[in-house]
Amino acid sequence: MTSRPVRLLIVGPQGSGKGTQGVRIAETLGIPVISTGDVFRANVAEGTDLGLQVKSIIDAGQLVPDELTSAVVRDRLSQPDAQGGFLLDGYPRNLPQVMHLDEFLEGRDEALDAVVVLAVPREESIARLAKRAHEQGRADDTDEVIAARLSIYETETAPILGVYGTRGIVDEVDGVGTLDEITARIIAALEARGLARPAAA
Ligand code: AMP
């Protein structure tokens, strides 16, 4: 548990394990995970208006329009449980979304404390996604869509790290290893920033 709200973003290519690690880190810190991918998938599954709007975009591995995505996130960040900190997974994903988030957080006198980047070689991401496709049968885990998503990551998402890097809040963590090893690396990086308590000796 932490004494003050911690506001984090976890970034990594599809297949980097950011979803799994995001949940683990958020549990450790006692903050909610806000995953835009999960919000969209839940809406698709429930057949809401939002779900109907985004289904074909997600299935094709393209990005949902920025205004729509940012509105969903603003709404979620306004819920009571996000007032004590949060971990964003999968948003912002491009420069316009960084600007939207900045504007929203500045309006609340808040800012991100750290951006954790999970570094995983492209071949490893592809291998993990192929495995997940086999196990979960996600419509956006086909070879073609995986390639589209990875190239969007490289062209649109990676540049956001330049912006956050100039703010000195980026921690790059080696994303290859066991789940526990990777979680421990992330926690160590957050501890170094005073954002997580050192584990009891
Ligand atoms: P994810 O589970 O984070 O890989 O997200 C699954 C899909 O949801 C993505 O391929 C996009 O179609 C959509 N999505 C998730 N987050 C965003 C975002 N920040 N901006 C636009 N589309 C998004």
Side-chain angles (χ1 to χ4, degrees), residues 4 53-54 157 170:
R4 70 169 186 84
Q53 275 186 75
V54 302
T157 306
V170 174

Side-chain angles (χ1 to χ4, degrees), residues 24-172:
R24 289 175 151 230
I25 299 305
E27 266 173 16
T28 304
L29 298 179
I31 52 179
V33 179
I34 299 177
S35 157
T36 41
D38 283 352
V39 172
F40 289 141
R41 278 186 291 276
N43 276 273
V44 170
E46 288 162 25
T48 65
D49 283 349
L50 175 64
L52 293 175
Q53 275 186 75
V54 302
K55 184 178 186 319
S56 61
I57 300 173
I58 292 177
D59 285 352
Q62 302 300 314
L63 292 187
V64 173
D66 296 330
E67 287 297 342
L68 183 57
T69 305
S70 292
V72 165
V73 174
R74 282 194 294 269
D75 186 54
R76 182 64 189 84
L77 285 175
S78 302
Q79 305 294 315
D81 67 331
Q83 308 315 305
F86 52 79
L87 181 145
L88 287 167
D89 165 8
Y91 176 95
R93 225 169 173 107
N94 59 19
L95 293 170
Q97 293 181 12
V98 169
M99 287 172 54
H100 292 166
L101 180 65
D102 277 351
E103 198 178 286
F104 179 76
L105 291 181
E106 277 163 20
R108 302 204 312 189
D109 220 9
E110 296 176 0
L112 290 179
D113 295 300
V115 176
V116 174
V117 186
L118 273 186
V120 173
R122 194 184 169 109
E123 314 75 62
E124 171 94 13
S125 294
I126 291 174
R128 291 185 193 175
L129 287 169
K131 187 162 174 264
R132 184 172 78 186
H134 186 66
E135 289 167 358
Q136 299 179 5
R138 259 173 64 164
D140 61 351
D141 275 346
T142 62
D143 286 353
E144 217 174 43
V145 177
I146 287 169
R149 292 161 78 216
L150 285 173
S151 93
I152 289 177
Y153 180 80
E154 282 155 14
T155 56
E156 298 201 39
T157 306
I160 76 173
L161 301 176
V163 174
Y164 289 128
T166 62
R167 298 181 194 174
I169 57 171
V170 174
D171 286 314
E172 185 169 311

Side-chain angles (χ1 to χ4, degrees), residues 176-195:
V176 180
T178 66
L179 285 182
D180 286 346
E181 282 165 357
I182 300 165
T183 304
R185 286 175 201 147
I186 299 172
I187 296 290
L190 297 176
E191 279 174 8
R193 290 182 181 276
L195 298 172

